[in-house]
Coordinates of all heavy atoms in Angstrom, one line a residue:
M967 N 0.8 -1.2 0.0 CA 0.0 0.0 0.0 C 0.9 1.3 0.0 O 0.7 2.2 -0.8 CB -0.9 0.0 1.2 CG -1.8 1.2 1.3 SD -3.4 0.8 0.7 CE -4.4 2.0 1.5
L968 N 1.8 1.3 0.9 CA 2.7 2.5 1.0 C 3.6 2.6 -0.3 O 3.7 3.7 -0.8 CB 3.7 2.4 2.2 CG 4.5 3.6 2.5 CD1 3.7 4.8 2.7 CD2 5.4 3.3 3.7
A969 N 4.0 1.4 -0.8 CA 4.8 1.4 -2.0 C 4.0 2.0 -3.2 O 4.5 2.7 -4.0 CB 5.3 0.0 -2.4
E970 N 2.7 1.6 -3.2 CA 1.8 2.2 -4.3 C 1.7 3.7 -4.2 O 1.7 4.4 -5.2 CB 0.4 1.6 -4.2 CG 0.4 0.1 -4.6 CD -1.0 -0.5 -4.4 OE1 -2.0 0.3 -4.1 OE2 -1.1 -1.7 -4.4
R971 N 1.6 4.2 -3.0 CA 1.5 5.6 -2.8 C 2.8 6.3 -3.3 O 2.7 7.4 -3.9 CB 1.3 6.0 -1.3 CG 0.0 6.7 -1.1 CD 0.0 7.4 0.2 NE -0.5 6.4 1.3 CZ -0.3 6.6 2.6 NH1 0.4 7.7 3.0 NH2 -0.7 5.7 3.4
W972 N 3.9 5.7 -3.0 CA 5.2 6.3 -3.5 C 5.3 6.3 -5.0 O 5.8 7.2 -5.6 CB 6.4 5.7 -2.8 CG 6.6 6.3 -1.5 CD1 6.4 5.7 -0.3 CD2 7.1 7.6 -1.2 NE1 6.7 6.6 0.7 CE2 7.1 7.7 0.2 CE3 7.5 8.7 -2.0 CZ2 7.5 8.9 0.8 CZ3 7.9 9.8 -1.4 CH2 7.9 10.0 0.0
E973 N 4.8 5.2 -5.6 CA 4.8 5.1 -7.0 C 3.9 6.2 -7.6 O 4.3 6.9 -8.6 CB 4.3 3.7 -7.5 CG 5.3 2.7 -7.4 CD 4.8 1.3 -7.8 OE1 3.8 1.2 -8.5 OE2 5.3 0.3 -7.3
D974 N 2.8 6.5 -7.0 CA 1.9 7.6 -7.5 C 2.7 8.9 -7.4 O 2.6 9.7 -8.2 CB 0.6 7.6 -6.7 CG -0.3 6.5 -7.0 OD1 -0.1 5.8 -8.0 OD2 -1.3 6.2 -6.2
R975 N 3.3 9.1 -6.2 CA 4.1 10.3 -6.0 C 5.2 10.5 -7.1 O 5.3 11.6 -7.6 CB 4.8 10.2 -4.6 CG 3.9 10.9 -3.5 CD 4.2 12.3 -3.5 NE 3.2 13.1 -3.0 CZ 3.1 13.6 -1.8 NH1 4.1 13.3 -1.0 NH2 2.2 14.4 -1.4
E976 N 5.9 9.4 -7.4 CA 6.9 9.5 -8.4 C 6.3 9.9 -9.8 O 6.9 10.8 -10.5 CB 7.6 8.1 -8.6 CG 8.5 7.8 -7.5 CD 9.7 8.7 -7.3 OE1 10.3 9.0 -8.4 OE2 10.1 9.0 -6.2
T977 N 5.1 9.4 -10.1 CA 4.5 9.8 -11.3 C 4.1 11.2 -11.3 O 4.3 12.0 -12.2 CB 3.2 8.9 -11.5 OG1 3.6 7.5 -11.5 CG2 2.5 9.2 -12.9
E978 N 3.5 11.7 -10.1 CA 3.1 13.1 -10.0 C 4.3 14.0 -10.2 O 4.3 15.0 -10.9 CB 2.5 13.3 -8.6 CG 1.1 12.9 -8.4 CD 0.6 13.2 -7.0 OE1 1.1 14.2 -6.4 OE2 -0.2 12.5 -6.5
W979 N 5.4 13.7 -9.4 CA 6.6 14.6 -9.4 C 7.3 14.7 -10.8 O 8.0 15.6 -11.1 CB 7.6 14.2 -8.3 CG 7.0 14.6 -7.0 CD1 6.6 13.7 -6.0 CD2 6.7 15.9 -6.5 NE1 6.1 14.4 -5.0 CE2 6.2 15.8 -5.2 CE3 6.9 17.2 -7.0 CZ2 5.8 16.9 -4.5 CZ3 6.5 18.3 -6.3 CH2 6.0 18.1 -5.0
A980 N 7.0 13.7 -11.6 CA 7.6 13.7 -13.0 C 7.0 14.9 -13.8 O 7.5 15.3 -14.8 CB 7.3 12.4 -13.7
T981 N 5.8 15.4 -13.3 CA 5.2 16.5 -14.1 C 5.5 17.9 -13.5 O 5.0 18.9 -13.9 CB 3.6 16.3 -14.0 OG1 3.2 16.5 -12.6 CG2 3.2 15.0 -14.6
A982 N 6.4 17.9 -12.5 CA 6.8 19.2 -11.9 C 7.4 20.1 -12.9 O 8.3 19.7 -13.7 CB 7.7 18.9 -10.7
R983 N 7.0 21.3 -12.9 CA 7.5 22.3 -13.9 C 9.0 22.6 -13.6 O 9.7 23.0 -14.5 CB 6.7 23.6 -13.8 CG 5.3 23.4 -14.3 CD 5.1 23.8 -15.7 NE 5.5 25.2 -15.8 CZ 6.0 25.8 -16.9 NH1 6.0 25.1 -18.0 NH2 6.3 27.0 -16.9
C984 N 9.5 22.5 -12.4 CA 10.9 22.8 -12.1 C 11.8 21.6 -12.3 O 13.0 21.8 -12.2 CB 11.0 23.2 -10.6 SG 10.4 21.9 -9.5
K985 N 11.3 20.5 -12.7 CA 12.1 19.3 -12.9 C 12.5 19.3 -14.4 O 11.8 18.7 -15.2 CB 11.3 18.1 -12.6 CG 12.1 16.8 -12.5 CD 11.2 15.7 -12.0 CE 12.1 14.4 -11.9 NZ 11.4 13.3 -11.4
D986 N 13.6 19.9 -14.7 CA 14.1 19.9 -16.0 C 15.2 18.9 -16.3 O 15.7 18.8 -17.4 CB 14.6 21.3 -16.4 CG 15.9 21.7 -15.7 OD1 16.3 21.0 -14.7 OD2 16.5 22.7 -16.0
G987 N 15.5 18.1 -15.3 CA 16.5 17.1 -15.5 C 18.0 17.5 -15.4 O 18.9 16.7 -15.5
T988 N 18.2 18.8 -15.3 CA 19.6 19.3 -15.3 C 19.9 19.9 -13.9 O 21.1 20.0 -13.6 CB 19.8 20.4 -16.4 OG1 19.0 21.6 -16.0 CG2 19.4 19.9 -17.7
G989 N 18.9 20.3 -13.2 CA 19.2 21.0 -11.9 C 19.6 22.5 -12.1 O 19.9 23.2 -11.1
D990 N 19.5 23.0 -13.3 CA 19.8 24.4 -13.6 C 18.9 25.4 -12.9 O 19.3 26.5 -12.7 CB 19.8 24.6 -15.1 CG 21.0 24.0 -15.9 OD1 21.9 23.5 -15.2 OD2 20.9 23.9 -17.1
L991 N 17.7 24.9 -12.6 CA 16.8 25.9 -12.0 C 16.9 26.0 -10.5 O 16.3 26.8 -9.9 CB 15.3 25.5 -12.3 CG 14.9 25.5 -13.8 CD1 13.5 25.0 -14.0 CD2 15.0 27.0 -14.3
T992 N 17.8 25.1 -9.9 CA 17.9 25.1 -8.5 C 18.3 26.5 -7.9 O 17.7 27.0 -6.9 CB 19.0 24.1 -8.0 OG1 18.6 22.8 -8.5 CG2 19.1 24.0 -6.5
A993 N 19.3 27.2 -8.6 CA 19.7 28.5 -8.1 C 18.6 29.5 -8.1 O 18.5 30.4 -7.3 CB 20.9 28.9 -8.9
L994 N 17.8 29.4 -9.1 CA 16.6 30.3 -9.3 C 15.7 30.2 -8.1 O 15.2 31.1 -7.5 CB 15.9 30.0 -10.6 CG 14.9 31.0 -11.1 CD1 15.6 32.2 -11.6 CD2 14.1 30.3 -12.2
F995 N 15.4 28.9 -7.7 CA 14.4 28.7 -6.6 C 15.0 29.0 -5.2 O 14.2 29.0 -4.3 CB 13.9 27.2 -6.7 CG 12.9 27.1 -7.8 CD1 13.2 27.0 -9.1 CD2 11.5 27.0 -7.4 CE1 12.2 26.8 -10.1 CE2 10.5 26.9 -8.4 CZ 10.9 26.8 -9.8
F996 N 16.3 29.1 -5.1 CA 16.9 29.4 -3.8 C 17.6 30.8 -3.8 O 18.5 31.0 -3.0 CB 17.8 28.3 -3.4 CG 17.1 27.1 -3.0 CD1 16.8 26.1 -4.0 CD2 16.5 26.9 -1.8 CE1 16.1 24.9 -3.7 CE2 15.8 25.8 -1.5 CZ 15.6 24.8 -2.4
S997 N 17.3 31.6 -4.8 CA 18.0 32.9 -4.9 C 17.4 33.9 -4.0 O 16.2 33.8 -3.6 CB 17.8 33.4 -6.4 OG 18.3 34.7 -6.5
E998 N 18.1 34.9 -3.6 CA 17.6 36.0 -2.8 C 17.3 37.2 -3.7 O 16.9 38.3 -3.2 CB 18.6 36.4 -1.7 CG 18.6 35.3 -0.7 CD 19.3 35.8 0.6 OE1 19.5 37.0 0.8 OE2 19.8 34.9 1.3
Q999 N 17.6 37.1 -5.0 CA 17.3 38.2 -6.0 C 15.8 38.2 -6.3 O 15.2 37.2 -6.6 CB 18.1 38.0 -7.3 CG 19.6 37.9 -7.1 CD 20.1 39.3 -6.6 OE1 19.7 40.3 -7.0 NE2 21.0 39.2 -5.6
L1000 N 15.2 39.4 -6.2 CA 13.8 39.6 -6.4 C 13.3 39.1 -7.8 O 12.3 38.5 -7.9 CB 13.4 41.0 -6.2 CG 13.6 41.6 -4.8 CD1 13.1 43.0 -4.7 CD2 12.9 40.7 -3.7
D1001 N 14.1 39.4 -8.8 CA 13.7 39.0 -10.2 C 13.8 37.4 -10.3 O 12.9 36.8 -11.0 CB 14.5 39.6 -11.2 CG 16.0 39.5 -11.1 OD1 16.5 39.1 -10.0 OD2 16.7 39.6 -12.1
D1002 N 14.8 36.8 -9.7 CA 14.8 35.3 -9.7 C 13.6 34.7 -8.9 O 13.0 33.7 -9.4 CB 16.1 34.8 -9.0 CG 17.3 35.1 -9.8 OD1 17.2 35.4 -11.0 OD2 18.4 35.0 -9.3
I1003 N 13.3 35.3 -7.8 CA 12.2 34.8 -7.0 C 10.9 34.9 -7.8 O 10.1 34.0 -7.9 CB 12.0 35.6 -5.7 CG1 13.2 35.2 -4.8 CG2 10.7 35.3 -5.0 CD1 13.4 36.2 -3.6
A1004 N 10.7 36.0 -8.5 CA 9.5 36.2 -9.3 C 9.5 35.2 -10.5 O 8.4 34.7 -10.8 CB 9.5 37.7 -9.9
R1005 N 10.6 34.9 -11.1 CA 10.7 33.9 -12.1 C 10.3 32.5 -11.6 O 9.6 31.8 -12.2 CB 12.0 33.9 -12.8 CG 12.3 35.1 -13.7 CD 13.6 35.0 -14.4 NE 13.9 33.8 -15.1 CZ 15.1 33.3 -15.3 NH1 16.2 33.9 -14.8 NH2 15.2 32.2 -16.0
A1006 N 10.9 32.2 -10.4 CA 10.5 30.9 -9.8 C 9.0 30.8 -9.5 O 8.4 29.8 -9.8 CB 11.4 30.7 -8.5
K1007 N 8.5 31.9 -9.0 CA 7.0 31.9 -8.7 C 6.2 31.7 -9.9 O 5.2 31.1 -9.9 CB 6.6 33.1 -7.9 CG 7.1 33.2 -6.5 CD 6.6 34.4 -5.8 CE 6.9 34.4 -4.3 NZ 6.4 35.6 -3.7
A1008 N 6.7 32.3 -11.0 CA 6.0 32.2 -12.3 C 6.0 30.8 -12.8 O 5.0 30.3 -13.4 CB 6.6 33.2 -13.3
I1009 N 7.1 30.1 -12.6 CA 7.2 28.7 -13.0 C 6.2 27.9 -12.2 O 5.4 27.0 -12.7 CB 8.6 28.1 -12.9 CG1 9.5 28.8 -13.9 CG2 8.7 26.6 -13.0 CD1 11.0 28.6 -13.7
C1010 N 6.2 28.1 -10.9 CA 5.2 27.4 -10.0 C 3.8 27.7 -10.4 O 2.9 26.8 -10.2 CB 5.5 27.8 -8.6 SG 7.0 27.3 -7.8
A1011 N 3.5 28.9 -10.8 CA 2.1 29.2 -11.2 C 1.5 28.3 -12.2 O 0.3 28.1 -12.3 CB 2.0 30.7 -11.6
E1012 N 2.4 27.7 -13.1 CA 2.0 26.9 -14.2 C 2.1 25.4 -13.8 O 1.8 24.5 -14.6 CB 2.8 27.1 -15.4 CG 2.8 28.5 -15.9 CD 1.5 28.9 -16.5 OE1 0.9 28.0 -17.2 OE2 1.1 30.1 -16.4
C1013 N 2.4 25.1 -12.5 CA 2.7 23.7 -12.1 C 1.5 23.0 -11.6 O 0.8 23.6 -10.7 CB 3.8 23.7 -11.1 SG 4.3 22.0 -10.6
P1014 N 1.2 21.8 -12.0 CA 0.0 21.1 -11.5 C 0.1 20.7 -10.1 O -0.8 20.3 -9.4 CB -0.2 19.9 -12.5 CG 1.2 19.7 -13.0 CD 1.9 21.1 -13.1
L1015 N 1.3 20.7 -9.5 CA 1.6 20.2 -8.2 C 1.7 21.3 -7.1 O 2.1 21.1 -6.0 CB 2.9 19.4 -8.2 CG 3.1 18.3 -9.2 CD1 4.4 17.7 -9.2 CD2 2.0 17.3 -9.0
R1016 N 1.3 22.5 -7.5 CA 1.5 23.7 -6.7 C 1.0 23.5 -5.2 O 1.8 23.7 -4.3 CB 0.9 24.9 -7.3 CG 1.6 26.2 -6.9 CD 1.1 27.3 -7.6 NE -0.3 27.7 -7.1 CZ -1.2 28.3 -7.8 NH1 -0.9 28.7 -9.0 NH2 -2.3 28.6 -7.3
E1017 N -0.2 23.1 -5.0 CA -0.7 23.0 -3.7 C 0.0 21.9 -2.9 O 0.3 22.0 -1.7 CB -2.2 22.8 -3.7 CG -3.0 24.1 -4.0 CD -2.5 25.3 -3.1 OE1 -2.5 25.1 -1.9 OE2 -2.3 26.4 -3.6
A1018 N 0.2 20.7 -3.5 CA 0.8 19.6 -2.8 C 2.3 20.0 -2.5 O 2.7 19.6 -1.4 CB 0.8 18.4 -3.7
C1019 N 2.9 20.7 -3.4 CA 4.3 21.1 -3.2 C 4.4 22.0 -2.0 O 5.2 21.8 -1.1 CB 4.8 21.8 -4.4 SG 6.5 22.4 -4.3
F1020 N 3.5 23.0 -1.9 CA 3.5 23.9 -0.8 C 3.2 23.2 0.5 O 3.9 23.4 1.6 CB 2.4 25.0 -1.0 CG 2.2 26.0 0.1 CD1 3.3 26.8 0.5 CD2 1.1 26.0 0.8 CE1 3.2 27.6 1.6 CE2 0.9 26.9 1.9 CZ 2.0 27.7 2.3
E1021 N 2.2 22.3 0.6 CA 1.8 21.6 1.8 C 3.0 20.7 2.2 O 3.3 20.6 3.4 CB 0.5 20.8 1.6 CG -0.7 21.7 1.5 CD -1.9 20.9 1.0 OE1 -1.9 19.7 1.0 OE2 -2.9 21.6 0.6
D1022 N 3.6 20.0 1.3 CA 4.8 19.2 1.7 C 5.9 20.0 2.2 O 6.6 19.6 3.2 CB 5.3 18.4 0.4 CG 4.4 17.2 0.1 OD1 3.4 17.0 0.8 OD2 4.7 16.5 -0.9
A1023 N 6.2 21.2 1.6 CA 7.2 22.1 2.1 C 6.9 22.5 3.6 O 7.8 22.6 4.4 CB 7.4 23.3 1.2
L1024 N 5.7 22.8 3.8 CA 5.3 23.2 5.2 C 5.5 22.1 6.1 O 6.1 22.3 7.2 CB 3.8 23.6 5.2 CG 3.4 25.0 4.8 CD1 1.9 25.1 4.8 CD2 4.1 26.1 5.6
A1025 N 5.1 20.9 5.7 CA 5.3 19.7 6.6 C 6.7 19.4 6.9 O 7.1 18.9 8.0 CB 4.6 18.5 5.9
R1026 N 7.6 19.6 5.9 CA 9.0 19.4 6.1 C 9.8 20.5 6.8 O 10.9 20.4 7.0 CB 9.7 19.2 4.7 CG 9.4 18.0 4.0 CD 10.4 17.8 2.8 NE 10.5 19.0 1.9 CZ 9.7 19.2 0.9 NH1 8.7 18.4 0.5 NH2 9.8 20.3 0.2
H1027 N 9.0 21.6 7.0 CA 9.6 22.8 7.7 C 10.8 23.3 6.8 O 11.9 23.6 7.3 CB 10.1 22.5 9.1 CG 9.0 22.0 10.0 ND1 8.0 22.7 10.5 CD2 8.8 20.7 10.4 CE1 7.2 22.0 11.2 NE2 7.6 20.7 11.2
E1028 N 10.5 23.5 5.5 CA 11.6 24.0 4.6 C 12.0 25.4 5.1 O 11.2 26.2 5.4 CB 11.0 24.1 3.2 CG 10.9 22.9 2.5 CD 12.3 22.3 2.1 OE1 13.3 23.0 2.2 OE2 12.4 21.1 1.7
P1029 N 13.3 25.6 5.3 CA 13.7 26.9 5.7 C 13.8 28.0 4.6 O 13.5 29.1 4.9 CB 15.1 26.6 6.3 CG 15.6 25.4 5.6 CD 14.4 24.6 5.2
Y1030 N 14.2 27.6 3.4 CA 14.4 28.6 2.4 C 13.9 28.1 1.0 O 13.8 26.9 0.8 CB 15.9 28.9 2.2 CG 16.5 29.6 3.4 CD1 17.1 28.9 4.4 CD2 16.3 31.0 3.5 CE1 17.7 29.6 5.5 CE2 16.8 31.7 4.6 CZ 17.5 31.0 5.6 OH 18.0 31.6 6.7
G1031 N 13.7 29.0 0.1 CA 13.3 28.6 -1.2 C 11.9 28.9 -1.6 O 11.1 29.3 -0.8
V1032 N 11.6 28.8 -2.9 CA 10.3 28.9 -3.4 C 9.7 27.5 -3.6 O 10.3 26.7 -4.3 CB 10.3 29.7 -4.8 CG1 8.9 29.7 -5.4 CG2 10.8 31.1 -4.6
W1033 N 8.6 27.3 -2.9 CA 8.0 26.0 -3.0 C 6.5 26.2 -3.2 O 5.9 27.0 -2.4 CB 8.2 25.2 -1.6 CG 9.6 24.9 -1.3 CD1 10.4 25.7 -0.5 CD2 10.3 23.8 -1.7 NE1 11.6 25.1 -0.4 CE2 11.6 23.9 -1.1 CE3 10.0 22.7 -2.5 CZ2 12.6 23.0 -1.3 CZ3 11.0 21.7 -2.6 CH2 12.3 21.9 -2.1
G1034 N 5.9 25.6 -4.2 CA 4.5 25.8 -4.4 C 4.1 27.2 -4.7 O 3.0 27.6 -4.4
G1035 N 5.0 28.0 -5.3 CA 4.8 29.3 -5.6 C 4.9 30.3 -4.5 O 4.5 31.5 -4.6
R1036 N 5.3 29.9 -3.3 CA 5.4 30.7 -2.1 C 6.9 30.7 -1.7 O 7.6 29.8 -1.8 CB 4.6 30.2 -1.0 CG 3.2 29.8 -1.5 CD 2.1 30.7 -0.9 NE 0.8 30.4 -1.4 CZ 0.1 29.4 -1.1 NH1 0.5 28.5 -0.2 NH2 -1.1 29.2 -1.6
L1037 N 7.3 31.9 -1.1 CA 8.7 32.0 -0.7 C 8.8 31.7 0.8 O 8.1 32.3 1.7 CB 9.1 33.5 -0.9 CG 10.5 33.9 -0.4 CD1 11.5 33.1 -1.2 CD2 10.7 35.4 -0.6
F1038 N 9.7 30.8 1.1 CA 10.1 30.4 2.5 C 11.4 31.1 2.8 O 12.3 31.1 2.0 CB 10.3 28.9 2.6 CG 9.0 28.1 2.5 CD1 8.3 28.0 1.4 CD2 8.5 27.5 3.7 CE1 7.1 27.2 1.3 CE2 7.4 26.8 3.6 CZ 6.7 26.6 2.4
F1039 N 11.4 31.8 3.9 CA 12.6 32.5 4.3 C 12.7 32.4 5.8 O 11.8 32.8 6.6 CB 12.5 34.0 4.0 CG 13.8 34.8 4.2 CD1 14.9 34.6 3.4 CD2 13.9 35.6 5.3 CE1 16.1 35.3 3.6 CE2 15.1 36.3 5.6 CZ 16.2 36.2 4.7
K1040 N 13.8 31.8 6.3 CA 14.1 31.5 7.7 C 12.9 30.7 8.3 O 12.4 31.0 9.4 CB 14.3 32.8 8.5 CG 15.6 33.5 8.1 CD 15.9 34.6 8.9 CE 17.2 35.3 8.5 NZ 17.6 36.5 9.3
G1041 N 12.3 29.8 7.5 CA 11.3 28.9 8.0 C 9.9 29.5 8.0 O 8.9 28.9 8.4
K1042 N 9.8 30.7 7.5 CA 8.4 31.4 7.4 C 8.0 31.6 6.0 O 8.9 31.8 5.1 CB 8.5 32.7 8.2 CG 8.7 32.5 9.6 CD 8.6 33.8 10.4 CE 8.8 33.4 11.9 NZ 8.8 34.5 12.8
V1043 N 6.8 31.6 5.8 CA 6.3 31.9 4.4 C 6.0 33.4 4.3 O 5.3 34.0 5.1 CB 4.9 31.2 4.1 CG1 4.4 31.5 2.8 CG2 5.1 29.7 4.3
L1044 N 6.7 34.1 3.4 CA 6.6 35.5 3.2 C 5.7 35.9 2.1 O 5.7 35.2 1.1 CB 8.0 36.1 2.9 CG 9.2 35.9 3.9 CD1 10.4 36.6 3.4 CD2 8.8 36.3 5.3
A1045 N 4.9 36.9 2.4 CA 4.0 37.4 1.3 C 4.8 38.1 0.2 O 4.4 38.0 -0.9 CB 3.0 38.4 1.9
F1046 N 5.8 38.7 0.6 CA 6.7 39.3 -0.4 C 8.1 39.5 0.3 O 8.2 39.5 1.5 CB 6.2 40.7 -0.9 CG 6.1 41.7 0.2 CD1 7.1 42.6 0.5 CD2 4.9 41.8 1.0 CE1 7.0 43.5 1.5 CE2 4.8 42.7 2.0 CZ 5.8 43.6 2.3
K1047 N 9.1 39.7 -0.5 CA 10.4 39.9 0.0 C 10.9 41.4 -0.3 O 10.7 41.8 -1.4 CB 11.4 39.0 -0.7 CG 12.8 39.1 -0.1 CD 13.7 37.9 -0.5 CE 15.0 37.9 0.1 NZ 15.6 39.1 0.6
R1048 N 11.4 42.0 0.7 CA 11.9 43.4 0.5 C 13.2 43.4 -0.2 O 14.0 42.4 0.1 CB 12.0 44.1 1.8 CG 10.8 44.3 2.6 CD 11.1 44.8 4.0 NE 10.0 44.6 4.9 CZ 9.0 45.4 5.1 NH1 9.0 46.6 4.5 NH2 8.0 45.1 6.0
P1049 N 13.5 44.4 -1.0 CA 14.8 44.4 -1.6 C 15.9 44.7 -0.5 O 15.5 45.2 0.6 CB 14.8 45.6 -2.5 CG 13.5 46.3 -2.2 CD 12.6 45.4 -1.4
R1050 N 17.1 44.4 -0.7 CA 18.2 44.6 0.2 C 18.4 46.1 0.4 O 18.1 46.9 -0.4 CB 19.5 44.0 -0.2 CG 19.4 42.5 -0.1 CD 20.8 41.9 -0.4 NE 20.8 40.5 -0.1 CZ 21.9 39.9 0.2 NH1 23.0 40.4 0.2 NH2 21.8 38.6 0.5
G1051 N 19.0 46.4 1.6 CA 19.3 47.8 1.8 C 18.2 48.6 2.5 O 17.2 48.1 2.8
R1052 N 18.5 49.9 2.7 CA 17.6 50.8 3.4 C 16.4 51.1 2.4 O 16.6 51.2 1.2 CB 18.3 52.0 3.8 CG 19.4 51.8 4.8 CD 20.1 53.0 5.1 NE 19.2 53.9 5.9 CZ 19.7 54.9 6.5 NH1 20.9 55.3 6.5 NH2 18.8 55.7 7.2
P1053 N 15.2 51.3 3.0 CA 14.1 51.7 2.1 C 14.4 53.1 1.6 O 15.1 53.9 2.3 CB 12.9 51.7 3.1 CG 13.5 51.7 4.4 CD 14.8 51.1 4.4
P1054 N 13.8 53.5 0.5 CA 14.0 54.8 0.0 C 13.4 55.9 0.9 O 12.4 55.5 1.6 CB 13.4 54.8 -1.4 CG 12.5 53.6 -1.4 CD 13.0 52.7 -0.4
K1055 N 13.9 57.1 0.9 CA 13.4 58.1 1.8 C 11.9 58.4 1.5 O 11.2 58.8 2.4 CB 14.2 59.4 1.6 CG 15.5 59.4 2.2 CD 16.3 60.7 2.1 CE 17.6 60.5 2.7 NZ 18.4 61.8 2.6
N1056 N 11.5 58.2 0.3 CA 10.1 58.5 0.0 C 9.2 57.2 0.1 O 8.2 57.1 -0.6 CB 9.9 59.1 -1.4 CG 10.5 58.2 -2.5 OD1 11.0 57.2 -2.2 ND2 10.2 58.6 -3.7
A1057 N 9.6 56.3 0.9 CA 8.9 55.0 1.0 C 7.5 55.2 1.4 O 6.6 54.5 1.0 CB 9.6 54.0 2.0
Q1058 N 7.2 56.1 2.4 CA 5.8 56.4 2.8 C 4.9 56.8 1.6 O 3.8 56.3 1.5 CB 5.8 57.4 3.9 CG 6.2 56.9 5.2 CD 5.4 55.8 5.7 OE1 4.2 55.7 5.6 NE2 6.0 54.8 6.3
S1059 N 5.5 57.6 0.8 CA 4.7 58.0 -0.4 C 4.4 56.9 -1.4 O 3.5 56.9 -2.1 CB 5.3 59.2 -1.1 OG 6.6 58.9 -1.6
M1060 N 5.4 55.9 -1.4 CA 5.2 54.8 -2.3 C 4.1 53.8 -1.8 O 3.5 53.2 -2.6 CB 6.5 54.0 -2.4 CG 7.6 54.8 -3.1 SD 9.2 54.0 -3.1 CE 8.9 52.5 -4.0
I1061 N 4.0 53.8 -0.4 CA 3.0 52.9 0.1 C 1.6 53.4 -0.1 O 0.7 52.7 -0.4 CB 3.3 52.7 1.7 CG1 4.6 51.9 1.8 CG2 2.1 51.9 2.3 CD1 5.1 51.9 3.2
A1062 N 1.4 54.7 0.1 CA 0.1 55.3 0.0 C -0.5 55.3 -1.4 O 0.1 54.9 -2.3 CB 0.1 56.8 0.5
Ligands
LIG1247 S1 5.1 24.0 -7.4 FE1 7.1 25.0 -8.1 S2 8.7 24.1 -6.7 FE2 6.8 22.8 -6.5 S3 7.1 21.2 -8.0 FE3 6.0 22.8 -9.0 S4 7.5 24.1 -10.1 FE4 8.6 22.8 -8.6

């Protein structure tokens, strides 16, 4: 029974959008660059495994990376990531 479940899982994961067989996308999914994170999320947006991927990442307590289209940072799921450095002086006007 358990073996059957794992076989199903293997079949499912074969359809993952990030699984290109080269591992070239790994850096994208674990980057701290905002444009890389956006690209990783865009790949996840087209993935049929998005919800399962996110739930599994939560269950594994993933510390970092984009999983299921969401960004994990220091073990927390962030709604968005701020750019590095100090916020611009006119940050308040940008929020309003
Ligand atoms: S949701 Fe994203 S990280 Fe998860 S399997 Fe799909 S493409 Fe990969």
Side-chain angles (χ1 to χ4, degrees):
M967 180 98 155
L968 187 60
E970 286 173 15
R971 240 196 277 160
W972 277 108
E973 283 177 22
D974 290 346
R975 268 273 155 99
E976 289 293 321
T977 304
E978 281 182 28
W979 288 111
T981 64
R983 294 259 305 154
C984 59
K985 190 173 181 178
D986 68 350
T988 66
D990 288 348
L991 294 176
T992 302
L994 194 69
F995 280 78
F996 291 94
S997 173
E998 290 192 20
Q999 301 295 318
L1000 296 180
D1001 56 340
D1002 288 344
I1003 292 167
R1005 285 180 56 207
K1007 286 182 173 183
I1009 292 169
C1010 291
E1012 303 288 325
C1013 184
L1015 307 176
R1016 206 172 73 204
E1017 284 309 311
C1019 179
F1020 176 64
E1021 288 170 13
D1022 283 2
L1024 281 177
R1026 289 191 310 269
H1027 305 286
E1028 282 290 346
Y1030 293 98
V1032 174
W1033 299 93
R1036 314 246 176 74
L1037 177 63
F1038 288 71
F1039 186 76
K1040 294 185 178 178
K1042 296 188 176 173
V1043 178
L1044 301 184
F1046 63 92
K1047 184 166 183 340
R1048 296 174 201 267
R1050 286 184 170 206
R1052 298 174 70 168
K1055 286 183 179 177
N1056 62 352
Q1058 283 301 322
S1059 64
M1060 292 173 63
I1061 293 171

